Amino acid sequence: MVLDRNPISDNEVERIAALESYQVLDTLPEKDYDAITRLASYICEAPIALISLVDTDRQWFKSKVGFQVNETPRTDAFCRYTILGDEIMEVPDALLNERFVDNVLVTGEPNIRFYAGAPLIDNDGHHLGSLCVIDSIPRKLTFEQRDALTTLSREVISHLTLRKQKRELEETLKLHNEFYNLFNNSPEIHCIMDRDTNIELINDSVTRILGFTPKESIGHPIWYFFPAGDRERVLHVVEEGLKSHKKAYDLETRIVTKSGEIKWVSWSVIAKDERWYASGRDITDQKQMLADLEQLSLVASKVSNGVVISNADNKVMWINEAFEKITGYSIDDVHDNHLGDVLRGELTDISIISKSRELSKAKQSFEVDLLIYRKDGQPLWISVINSIILDANGNIDKYVEVIIDITAKKKAELELIATKEEALQLNRAKDMFISVMSHEIRTPLNAVIGISHLLMDDNPNPSQKENLSILKFSAENLMTLINDVLDFTKVETGNIELEKINVDIRELVNSVVNSMQFKAQAKGIYLKTKIDESLPQFIKGDKTRICQILLNLVGNSLKFTQEGGIVIDLKVIEQTNKEVRIRFEVSDTGIGIAADKINTVFESFKQADANITRLYGGTGLGLAITKRLVELHDSRINVESVYGQSSKFWFSITFDKGEIILNKSVNEVRIGLKLNVLVVDDNHINRLLIDKVLKKWDVNAEFAEDGEQALAKIEANPNYDVVLMDIHMPIMGGLEATKILRSRPDAYSQQLPIIALTASMLNDQMDMIAEAGMNDYMLKPFDPKTLYDKISKFSKE
């Protein structure tokens, strides 16, 4: 006979599912179950008692007496047979039973000889395991013991059922609590009302939205919170619905909060089983937004500027009447289209449209000017002001664009640009004219003044000296007039930049006095100074321009003062560790200025009286230049005058304090310079003059008439110490020649000192000199001492 060693019930899948539903496997011991196994052991007089639960591939012991193992394989379990029946399975002697004679639990520990097990059958008829007793000697249960074992097995099932029911109840309660938490934490009001709309249950959101606590709300009819007018309206809607057996309603009502504020609530209401179930959402903000939008739409429809609203895909949804008037396009023409695709034309800058779309995608508003085309094909300039409206997660909801017709403005701008360009061209032409005329006028003056210097140094007889003095004075006077015109041009065209160098202000004032003293003495008038003792020795400023201002003012006073004299007065107004503010004043006892003319003295090419030019000379530019130079120092010049008695000019400038210089050295012109100089100038007289001056200093000079000759001489004889290079020359000018020389690879060509000879004082000329690679410059006509100072530093001694 073949025995089934691993029997399985027909409903094994359902049985295992039922066992797992009790969630008891692998749980900790429990005293209630342990009490049952002890009682079974005692009643049946067996040393071992077990509550065994048969799983898929094991039997696991929920409780055990006299046995230390927690589980055994199912194939070794006696209980696998017990669960096949509804009655107690009893094995009096396992050694005499073919099923168990060779079972490991029989042949080994715990050496089972006797086994009796009552199946554990739940209320659904599933066999979960057994309550069994075991002994190591053969025996049989009595009737009473069998009955007790059966009763105890039912007690095990009762405990398992109660345990399961308790767990399910706890889960239900937990779910209920979670639902109640969800109910209370909902942003919406949820309430249950009886058939008369009295509130029976309401969540905590009523406090957040309306200010009432749930306790304050329960017991009141929902209408209690409605304004009087809304109650009748809503009641009418509900009553009409009930007549037609309507059970569900969607309503929007106003609610009066505890503070008396009116809020809008959107309700979803269902009638069911003599009760009303309602959920209410606060829509006050949405209502306000809609009202604002309606107002905005009304305003947008009436404004003169175009307004376009596009959706999140940047496609047009709405336009106002002004847009249609500006562009000629109706809503049908642009609806559901990209605005730029409709408006662009032949000369539209597509890159602006592309860039605008990139900004839109990046949620960035923008403002652009764009050339578009009306529906009738006419070009039109518009300004587009784009705003982005985001929804609540922060995503684009819509775009609002304001369209402004700026065609007239653009036309004016283009005309202004054309006018500005024309003015710039005129300024360039003027600068070129001034530069050329400066060169052409200074070149012969250079010869006249230079020769007069040389002749004055050759010990002329008294009659010659008088004639030379007149010649020198006339030439220098002409140079002054030319410089006035050039200075005025430089100021007017913005070609003056102020330096900030260390200036000894006392020395500067003394130099002005010394240079003008001989004229004052010749007229028999005094020229003196009053300098505040607290004035610092050095300031940071533009020595040339400060000197020019004072020379212009002193020269102006000298011109119009016949008796008395002139005073230069410097006072410290305020002083800190880093700065000092100085008040400059030049006063005289001259002819004064008429009250009705005092505002004209600073105007260009004007004198206070028409006879002044005839009687005293001058260009009428001195004070105009002075005024502008003072303004460059962030100040303004003032004047007081008593006609026929005196005049006073003053201004105040703030300077940074300069650095104190000790042991100041004085350079003196020395004879005997060891230099080889190449002079490049197309004017023969200039070359002759420079030659005579250089020979006095024992300088060896060679000459070239243009840039090409100069380059050839330098290549043939690379022994020159310095080059004096004119700027404007035929064939090749000095700037071009210098650039070519500096481009050569040898060190001599790149490092040979080059001093420009120029008659121009314009900034752009100075910039070109530096850019060409020249080391320095000297204005023509030049002062011999200035020339000496510039070339002596290259002497071999």
Side-chain angles (χ1 to χ4, degrees), residues 33 160 179 287 324 401 537 545 584:
Y33 297 98
L160 287 176
F179 175 79
K287 279 287 186 180
E324 185 170 354
E401 290 170 317
Q537 182 179 358
R545 300 307 167 192
F584 296 81

Side-chain angles (χ1 to χ4, degrees), residues 9 39 246 325 338 354 375 416 433 450 661 687 748 768:
S9 64
L39 186 58
K246 186 176 181 179
K325 184 176 179 181
H338 293 289
S354 299
K375 187 175 181 180
L416 182 62
F433 174 78
I661 301 176
R687 295 198 302 271
Y748 177 74
M768 287 189 288

Side-chain angles (χ1 to χ4, degrees), residues 28-65:
L28 294 174
E30 299 178 48
K31 61 181 181 179
D32 290 341
Y33 297 98
D34 291 344
I36 293 174
T37 52
R38 285 198 300 272
L39 186 58
S41 173
Y42 175 77
I43 291 174
C44 297
E45 299 178 351
I48 298 175
L50 304 171
I51 296 176
S52 170
L53 299 174
V54 181
D55 198 359
T56 304
D57 54 4
R58 64 171 178 160
Q59 70 169 345
W60 177 80
F61 307 123
K62 172 60 181 171
S63 180
K64 52 188 182 295
V65 172

Side-chain angles (χ1 to χ4, degrees), residues 507 662-670 785 788-789:
E507 181 184 273
L662 302 175
N663 301 322
K664 185 179 68 172
S665 61
V666 179
N667 292 323
E668 298 179 352
V669 174
R670 297 180 291 108
K785 183 179 182 307
Y788 184 90
D789 290 341

Side-chain angles (χ1 to χ4, degrees), residues 1 3 5 94-102:
M1 177 178 177
L3 296 176
R5 297 289 185 179
L95 292 179
L96 301 177
N97 192 304
E98 293 182 352
R99 287 180 174 172
F100 305 112
V101 65
D102 55 357

Side-chain angles (χ1 to χ4, degrees), residues 134-242:
I134 298 171
D135 202 344
S136 58
I137 58 176
R139 54 176 295 190
K140 277 188 176 186
L141 293 179
T142 66
F143 173 82
E144 290 78 6
Q145 289 175 327
R146 289 174 66 90
D147 184 61
L149 190 62
T150 301
T151 301
L152 290 176
S153 70
R154 295 192 188 102
E155 188 67 18
V156 172
I157 288 296
S158 296
H159 280 288
L160 287 176
T161 302
L162 287 173
R163 186 179 189 279
K164 181 178 180 181
Q165 290 173 343
K166 179 183 177 183
R167 177 177 54 77
E168 289 175 345
L169 181 61
E170 288 174 348
E171 290 178 352
T172 300
L173 182 61
K174 180 181 178 183
L175 183 62
H176 175 77
N177 288 336
E178 289 176 349
F179 175 79
Y180 197 76
N181 287 334
L182 179 65
F183 174 77
N184 268 331
N185 291 315
S186 170
E188 299 182 357
I189 296 174
H190 299 293
C191 65
I192 301 173
M193 299 167 281
D194 63 19
R195 62 175 300 172
D196 297 322
T197 72
N198 294 310
I199 298 173
E200 295 180 334
L201 179 66
I202 193 166
N203 67 345
D204 291 342
S205 290
V206 70
T207 305
R208 180 180 58 80
I209 296 176
L210 302 183
F212 295 99
T213 65
K215 185 177 180 181
E216 292 171 325
S217 306
I218 292 172
H220 289 289
I222 194 69
W223 318 114
Y224 174 80
F225 304 99
F226 284 28
D230 288 22
R231 296 175 192 173
E232 288 72 19
R233 178 179 61 83
V234 176
L235 272 172
H236 177 72
V237 172
V238 174
E239 288 172 354
E240 291 298 316
L242 290 174

Side-chain angles (χ1 to χ4, degrees), residues 355-366:
K355 180 63 175 177
S356 299
R357 288 176 177 171
E358 290 176 7
L359 291 172
S360 295
K361 290 179 181 177
K363 303 179 184 178
Q364 296 182 31
S365 297
F366 59 84

